[in-house]
């Protein structure tokens, strides 16, 4: 599509301005605010320059408000500069780049104020996020919720070295399976990473791979100046030389400049008449301008590439660029830490017609009229909509979720039963839940839910076993109304999908309540993606089961030890480990509400650490007090008296051992307490918050839940904690009021056996609990022990 020259000129001028502003932001942070060379912001400068033209083409011309973008981490200053020109970023935040509450080093949805669509920073994750965000948009649309809102394009600006991250390839495969649409990845092919120049011919690998997965590939290699030169006599020889030039050499010559290019061109193709003239007609500066006119730095070429896409298939643009283009260290392999000196910056400022003291002014240095510029920026399609971040009403959640009770159950089984009850109903809650599992749907007890609610696909596909009348427990039809998204075995994909589903209210204006199931140890396989999802404030529920060593004969690396600590430490994730199914039902109801709470520091995602161990269920009334204890993190299963000597505090599947130990200790000691802990995480964070409140507002007599629970215990009462996980999860309980603690749990993994074998082996059976209680309390010895079976 032809674009009028004046418009292109304006867009190019804006791109130059963006490069200036982003560089000035970095320079300001380094030389003016901090007045030091020590602040390591160099990575941003060269990386940002690489993308200034491409991002200007997108934001000032190609994007629509419904489009969403993940910006390569180090291009954050470019993003902030563009937002500044749009009037959505303040000078104050730019001056305070990387400072306290200033603009962030890496675009942040939660911490930046200038409308970041997807956070980035841990390379690879933002890229995959766009793919899953597009699948989620399809999901919402297929369920009839998009109404007349236009579909957005999900766009990632990708560093070429970022493509080394395996999660991108995992996502590609999943995208292919689900018929991905509306996704653009723009690879900033500057052929440099932090440490190195990338291998030759990488673009060919990218091209083949993307085409293999059904993507369109657009290679934007040559800018307009280059294409014009190729049309001159001798141009073909020049093109061949450019194509054959190794990455490292091209980068080095860009750094050295026009004279160096001339010398190499002369030596290598200079004796060929026409091409010699082509080269000699140009001054050193002109030659450098020509040779650095790669597609990614040429506004016309980029606009043309973007505008020529007339379909909704995914597209990978491979845009050739030079890292640090236009700056003194362009192309240098060490430029990742490169910063411009004060003198270099001065020189560049003057060349841009920017007066000293006017560096932050939006329209300084333009030849265009400020009013026309202002009018243009206001008319840019992307900038027209002030409401890009959407919201959705809260979905009603009953106070209590029901399930079909049994005398003996596991929490994993209970999870399936609760979901089955929800699935049977015709509630808004049921229709907004969407589940996903990385090939462990059946083994995590989601089967009944999927039977009732079906699998999601944009096109109907009947279960062949069913149509062939072969008996099967599972009827798995795919349809656009299905509510389970089948995933391959990649936990990174699971959590990035959760991140996308869990932001649907903000991105699509339609709330979803996503639930992921996986085996607990494999949380670690997807951990960075889980962290990323929480950082973006996506809202979802994770049911991780089975967990710990309680899966006994399964053994090996299927045992999880660290996950309770991960659950405690992960910001934005409330973790629970119930022992009984009635507790789980209360926690799930709380969870669906927690996932929808908004406001500063409110709500978050939920992690349920569950077990396959079948245990006796208590027959009891669920009183409001009990319910509150469960969601706050703990309650007394046996209340201690005034002279309590020992307390056993347990979490999760080891409940029977704790109960048995309390019974045996009770034969010799009259006053003992049994504390059921459903969430070490909520107990601990409540305790931290209370201390902070007391410190901040002296005299406020606020006590946290755990402080209140432990308050009646005498000073010399001992606490034995026990969990099928790392003992540090509960070991801190002693610090709350200064009680002595013996913390039992698991510190080594891999052994197989029965549950009894392993609990004995790890010192967390009833006898080990009794021994521990005896060791930390005064008083008569405990006479009874559990008999060996
Ligand atoms: C998961 C992860 N590992 C390492 C890093 C550190 N890091 C930041 S950018 C980068 C590579 C940059 O190369 P590229 O993606 O080609 O971008 P360019 O610098 O060329 O713009 C690395 C290793 C990171 N941010 N995230
Ligand atoms: Mg690179």
């Amino acid at each position: 599509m032809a674009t009028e020259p004046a418009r292109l000129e304006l867009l190019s001028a804006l791109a130059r301005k963006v490069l200036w502003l982003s560089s000035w932001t970095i320079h300001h942070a380094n030389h003016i605010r901090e007045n030091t060379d020590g602040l390591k912001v160099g990575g941003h400068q060269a990386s940002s320059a690489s993308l200034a033209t491409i991002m200007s083409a997108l934001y000032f011309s190609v994007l629509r408000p419904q489009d969403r973008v993940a910006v390569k981490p180090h291009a954050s200053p470019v993003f902030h500069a563009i937002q500044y020109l749009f009037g959505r970023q303040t000078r104050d935040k730019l001056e305070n780049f990387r400072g306290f509450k200033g603009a962030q080093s890496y675009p942040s949805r939660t911490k930046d104020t200038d409308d970041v669509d997807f956070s980035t920073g841990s390379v690879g994750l933002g890229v995959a996020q766009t793919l899953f965000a597009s699948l989620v948009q399809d999901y919402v649309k297929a369920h009839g919720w998009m109404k007349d809102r236009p579909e957005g394009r999900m766009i990632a600006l990708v560093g070429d070295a970022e493509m080394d991250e395996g999660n991108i390839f995992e996502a590609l495969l999943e995208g292919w399976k689900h018929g991905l649409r509306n996704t653009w990845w723009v690879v900033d092919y500057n052929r440099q990473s932090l440490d190195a120049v990338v291998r030759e011919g990488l673009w060919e690998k990218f091209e083949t791979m993307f085409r293999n997965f059904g993507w369109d590939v657009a290679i934007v290699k040559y800018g307009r100046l280059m294409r014009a030169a190729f049309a001159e006599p001798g141009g073909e020889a020049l093109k061949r030389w450019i194509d054959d030039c190794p990455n490292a050499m091209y980068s080095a010559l860009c750094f050295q400049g026009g004279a160096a290019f001339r010398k190499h061109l002369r030596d290598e193709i200079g004796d060929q008449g026409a091409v010699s003239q082509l080269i000699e007609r140009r001054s050193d500066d002109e030659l450098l301008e020509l040779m650095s006119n790669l597609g990614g730095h040429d506004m016309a070429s980029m606009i043309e590439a973007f505008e020529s896409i007339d379909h909704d298939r995914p597209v990978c643009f491979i845009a050739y660029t030079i890292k640090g283009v236009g700056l003194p260290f362009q192309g240098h392999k060490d430029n990742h830490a490169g910063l411009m000196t004060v003198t270099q910056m001065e020189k560049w400022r003057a060349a841009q017609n920017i007066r000293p003291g006017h560096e932050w002014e939006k329209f300084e240095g333009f030849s265009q009229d400020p009013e026309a510029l202002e009018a243009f920026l206001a008319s840019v399609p992307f900038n027209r909509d002030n409401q890009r971040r959407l919201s959705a009403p809260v979905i009603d959640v009953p106070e209590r979720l029901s399930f079909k009770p049994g005398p003996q159950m596991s929490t994993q089984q209970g999870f399936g039963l609760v979901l089955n009850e929800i699935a049977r109903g015709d509630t808004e809650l049921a229709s907004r839940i969407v589940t996903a599992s990385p090939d462990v749907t059946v083994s995590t007890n989601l089967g009944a839910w999927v039977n009732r609610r079906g699998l999601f696909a944009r096109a109907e596909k009947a279960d062949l076993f069913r149509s062939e009348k072969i008996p099967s427990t599972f009827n798995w039809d795919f349809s656009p109304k299905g509510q389970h998204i089948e995933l391959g075995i990649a936990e990174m994909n699971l959590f990035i999908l959760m991140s996308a589903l869990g932001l649907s209210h903000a991105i699509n204006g339609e709330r979803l309540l996503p639930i992921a199931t996986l085996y607990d140890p494999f949380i670690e396989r997807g951990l960075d993606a889980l962290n990323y999802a929480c950082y973006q404030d996506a809202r979802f529920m994770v049911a991780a089961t089975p967990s710990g060593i309680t899966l006994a004969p399964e053994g090996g690396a299927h045992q999880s030890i660290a996950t309770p600590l991960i659950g405690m430490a992960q910001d934005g994730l409330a973790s629970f480990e119930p022992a009984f199914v009635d507790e789980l039902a209360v926690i799930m109801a709380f969870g669906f509400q927690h996932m929808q709470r908004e406001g500063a520091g409110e709500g978050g995602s939920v992690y349920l650490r569950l077990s396959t161990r079948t245990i006796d269920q208590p027959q009891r009334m669920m009183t409001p007090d009990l319910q509150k204890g469960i969601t706050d993190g703990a309650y007394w299963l046996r209340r201690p008296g005034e002279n309590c000597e020992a307390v056993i505090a347990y979490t999760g599947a080891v409940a029977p051992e704790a109960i048995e130990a309390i019974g045996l200790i009770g034969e010799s000691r009259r006053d003992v307490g049994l504390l059921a802990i459903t969430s070490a995480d909520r107990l601990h964070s409540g305790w931290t918050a209370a201390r902070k409140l007391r410190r901040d507002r002296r005299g406020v007599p606020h006590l946290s839940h755990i402080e209140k629970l432990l308050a009646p215990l005498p000073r010399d009462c001992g606490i034995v904690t026990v969990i099928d996980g790392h003992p540090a999860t509960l070991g801190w309980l002693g610090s709350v009021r200064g009680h002595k603690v013996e913390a039992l749990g698991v510190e080594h993994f891999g052994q197989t056996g029965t549950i009894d074998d392993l609990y004995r082996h790890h010192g967390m059976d009833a006898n080990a609990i009794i021994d521990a209680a005896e060791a930390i309390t005064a008083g008569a010895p405990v006479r009874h022990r559990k008999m060996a079976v």
Side-chain angles (χ1 to χ4, degrees):
M1 192 190 295
T3 319
E4 66 282 21
R7 188 176 160 78
L8 279 179
E9 182 42 45
L10 178 58
L11 289 172
S12 302
L14 282 165
R16 284 193 297 275
K17 183 71 186 183
V18 163
L19 179 57
W20 163 261
L21 278 172
S22 60
S23 300
W24 182 250
T25 300
I26 295 162
H27 187 77
H28 188 277
N30 207 50
H31 288 290
I32 299 176
R33 195 182 78 228
E34 297 288 331
N35 200 18
T36 162
D37 285 337
L39 200 70
K40 276 276 174 202
V41 293
H44 292 83
Q45 194 137 43
S47 268
S48 283
S50 208
L51 269 173
T53 301
I54 295 172
M55 284 176 66
S56 299
L58 283 171
Y59 281 93
F60 295 125
S61 180
V62 177
L63 293 183
R64 299 294 175 268
Q66 65 270 24
D67 296 334
R68 312 281 162 174
V69 191
V71 175
K72 180 185 82 168
H74 280 116
S76 157
V78 172
F79 172 80
H80 293 310
I82 291 173
Q83 295 293 324
Y84 178 67
L85 290 175
F86 279 147
R88 292 165 190 257
Q89 176 61 291
T90 63
R91 172 172 165 181
D92 190 44
K93 294 249 180 212
L94 292 187
E95 284 186 340
N96 201 13
F97 177 60
R98 290 167 63 106
F100 187 61
K101 301 209 167 167
Q104 289 264 328
S105 303
Y106 307 114
S108 170
R109 246 192 97 77
T110 46
K111 301 283 184 261
D112 276 317
T113 48
D114 51 350
D115 201 18
V116 172
D117 291 327
F118 301 120
S119 304
T120 58
S122 177
V123 295
L125 297 180
V127 184
Q129 173 87 22
T130 58
L131 182 151
F132 285 105
S134 179
L135 296 184
V136 171
Q137 178 173 262
D138 281 347
Y139 180 93
V140 170
K141 186 166 181 181
H143 284 77
W145 293 321
M146 282 278 281
K147 301 178 200 97
D148 46 5
R149 269 193 342 96
E151 287 178 2
R153 276 183 169 133
M154 305 299 164
I155 299 172
L157 297 157
V158 190
D160 46 1
E162 191 167 9
M163 293 292 299
D164 289 336
E165 285 290 359
N167 81 273
I168 294 181
F169 301 87
E170 297 176 359
L172 268 180
L173 197 57
E174 211 56 64
W176 169 74
K177 289 187 213 162
H178 290 275
L180 180 69
R181 309 150 65 226
N182 292 318
T183 305
W184 284 7
W185 288 357
V186 186
V187 180
D188 174 9
Y189 196 59
N190 61 24
R191 294 166 279 174
Q192 280 188 258
S193 61
L194 294 201
D195 292 344
V197 176
V198 305
R199 292 283 179 284
E200 297 306 320
L202 185 63
W203 66 273
E204 287 166 302
K205 302 292 169 210
F206 288 161
E207 183 179 15
T208 327
M209 185 183 70
F210 278 99
R211 289 204 195 282
N212 238 326
F213 285 115
W215 290 52
D216 189 3
V217 178
I219 296 173
V220 197
K221 180 163 183 180
Y222 316 106
R224 238 177 344 174
L225 286 180
M226 277 192 178
R227 283 183 278 160
F230 298 158
E232 290 176 29
E236 257 178 50
L238 178 71
K239 180 168 182 290
R240 220 173 308 122
W241 185 89
I242 291 176
D243 288 346
D244 292 344
C245 184
N247 289 339
M249 178 56 74
Y250 208 89
S251 296
L253 293 175
C254 286
F255 171 72
Q256 289 169 297
F261 263 117
R262 185 183 310 282
K263 179 170 181 318
H264 270 258
L265 287 166
R266 265 188 197 148
D267 290 353
E268 287 159 36
I269 52 172
D271 55 351
Q272 301 173 21
V275 74
S276 301
Q277 287 169 23
L278 190 157
I279 297 161
E280 301 313 335
R281 264 200 302 278
R282 289 164 167 87
S283 68
D284 283 354
D285 284 350
E286 284 166 347
L287 191 57
L288 181 62
E289 194 189 353
L290 170 65
M291 300 306 272
S292 44
N293 182 239
L294 295 174
H297 301 312
D298 184 53
M299 187 56 79
S301 303
M302 284 319 304
I303 296 275
E304 192 181 294
F306 289 135
E307 289 186 347
S308 68
I309 304 301
D310 57 1
H311 56 76
D312 67 1
R313 282 193 301 124
V315 188
C316 173
F317 298 88
I318 299 173
Y320 275 69
T321 53
I322 298 161
K323 192 161 165 177
V325 73
L327 308 178
F329 40 65
Q330 67 173 356
H332 196 292
K333 71 182 172 64
D334 302 342
N335 64 12
H336 199 75
L339 273 177
M340 283 162 81
T341 61
V342 175
T343 322
Q344 285 171 331
M345 200 66 188
E346 267 299 288
K347 204 169 133 203
W348 192 40
R349 183 189 53 66
Q352 305 267 313
N353 285 330
I354 291 171
R355 291 165 293 164
H358 297 253
E359 292 87 353
W360 290 113
E361 277 170 33
K362 277 192 187 180
F363 302 128
E364 179 77 5
F366 277 95
S367 60
Q368 289 85 351
D369 165 51
E371 272 175 31
L373 285 165
E374 194 74 81
F376 174 80
L377 287 173
S379 74
V380 165
F382 182 77
N383 199 25
R384 258 181 284 177
D385 197 339
N386 267 324
Q387 267 305 326
R388 293 187 66 256
R389 204 168 275 205
L390 308 173
S391 61
V394 170
I395 309 295
D396 237 12
V397 182
E399 267 303 293
R400 204 166 300 157
L401 297 170
S402 58
F403 59 94
K404 199 166 142 239
Q408 294 184 318
M409 287 188 287
S410 69
T411 46
Q412 167 169 325
Q413 186 187 357
F415 169 74
L417 291 172
V418 170
L419 273 186
N420 188 40
E421 279 304 307
I422 296 175
R424 278 154 49 101
D426 181 23
T427 57
E428 180 76 349
L429 172 67
S431 73
R432 295 286 170 157
I433 289 176
V434 47
T435 54
S437 184
D439 207 29
V440 290
T441 306
V442 174
S443 44
T444 54
N445 264 43
L446 266 185
W449 160 267
V450 179
N451 270 350
R452 290 190 190 279
R453 293 276 159 174
L455 289 122
F456 171 71
R458 275 194 292 125
E460 306 263 354
K461 197 173 103 213
D463 186 334
L464 183 114
F465 277 68
R466 182 148 69 153
S467 45
E468 289 292 314
K469 301 201 168 46
I470 303 170
S472 159
T473 325
F474 303 106
N475 300 319
W476 283 11
D477 293 327
F478 286 85
S479 86
K481 295 279 171 274
Q483 287 179 247
H484 177 71
I485 300 179
E486 195 179 42
L487 288 179
I489 331 165
E491 286 73 16
M492 292 296 279
N493 279 342
L494 176 74
F495 288 122
I496 302 172
L497 174 62
M498 285 300 120
S499 178
L501 289 166
L503 286 175
S504 179
H505 54 286
I507 292 192
N508 303 308
E510 294 293 339
R511 193 179 298 279
L512 298 174
L513 296 168
I515 303 179
T517 70
L518 80 166
Y519 294 174
D520 192 58
F522 304 131
I523 280 190
E524 288 167 11
R525 185 66 167 261
L527 191 51
D528 200 24
L530 171 63
N531 180 54
Y532 174 69
C534 291
Y535 177 52
Q536 306 222 64
D537 203 23
R539 301 300 179 86
F540 52 93
M541 184 181 281
V542 180
T545 178
S547 59
I549 56 160
T550 305
L551 50 77
E554 192 95 351
H558 273 58
Q559 299 175 337
S560 58
I561 296 175
T563 46
L565 293 174
I566 290 172
M568 284 180 87
Q570 180 60 55
D571 193 9
L573 188 71
S575 33
F576 294 88
E577 185 166 355
F580 305 113
V581 176
D582 62 351
E583 296 170 352
L584 174 67
V586 166
I587 291 166
M588 286 176 72
F590 167 87
F592 289 130
Q593 288 159 359
H594 190 68
M595 285 156 67
Q596 304 190 66
R597 257 175 224 130
E598 276 167 39
E602 287 285 314
S605 289
V606 177
Y607 162 31
L608 311 172
R609 188 173 190 252
L610 306 181
S611 173
T612 39
R613 186 184 192 193
T614 301
I615 63 174
D616 290 338
Q617 299 292 310
Q619 308 300 313
R620 58 185 171 184
M621 288 285 294
M622 185 51 68
T623 62
D625 258 7
L626 178 55
Q627 197 167 335
K628 182 157 186 334
I630 291 169
T631 54
D632 283 351
Y635 62 93
W636 288 112
L637 203 54
R638 173 166 164 166
R639 201 170 282 282
E642 273 174 25
N643 303 310
C644 184
E645 292 169 46
V647 162
I648 296 173
Y650 76 90
T651 287
V654 294
E657 279 63 33
I659 292 169
E660 189 178 7
I662 273 289
L664 291 166
I665 298 171
E667 305 270 339
S668 319
R669 313 263 179 104
R670 253 174 296 134
D671 201 346
V672 287
L674 182 60
L675 187 65
I677 297 185
T678 47
S679 173
D681 180 26
R682 285 183 53 86
L683 280 187
H684 192 276
S685 58
W687 180 43
T688 311
R691 277 176 296 158
K692 182 168 174 356
L693 196 71
R694 294 197 294 260
R695 255 199 320 272
D696 291 353
R697 293 204 251 142
R698 278 169 205 287
V700 175
H702 179 76
L703 284 184
S704 63
H705 187 53
I706 189 64
E707 285 168 314
K708 286 184 208 156
L709 286 169
L710 300 186
L713 299 181
R715 212 23 192 287
D716 55 357
C717 173
I719 303 177
V720 178
T721 66
V722 55
I723 181 172
D724 178 3
H726 197 278
T729 312
L730 298 175
W732 57 273
L733 281 177
S735 307
V736 176
R737 300 201 82 94
H739 293 105
K740 209 182 277 178
V741 163
E742 182 95 359
L744 308 181
V746 182
E747 287 180 272
H748 305 285
F749 65 88
Q751 187 59 55
T752 46
T754 63
I755 291 179
D756 278 346
D757 290 337
L758 296 189
Y759 281 8
R760 203 173 326 112
H761 176 69
H762 289 286
M764 46 196 272
D765 62 346
N767 287 345
I769 297 172
I770 296 167
D771 290 344
E774 209 164 36
I776 54 167
T777 53
V782 179
R783 276 173 280 126
H784 298 84
R785 288 291 188 278
K786 182 187 173 177
M787 304 293 283
V789 274

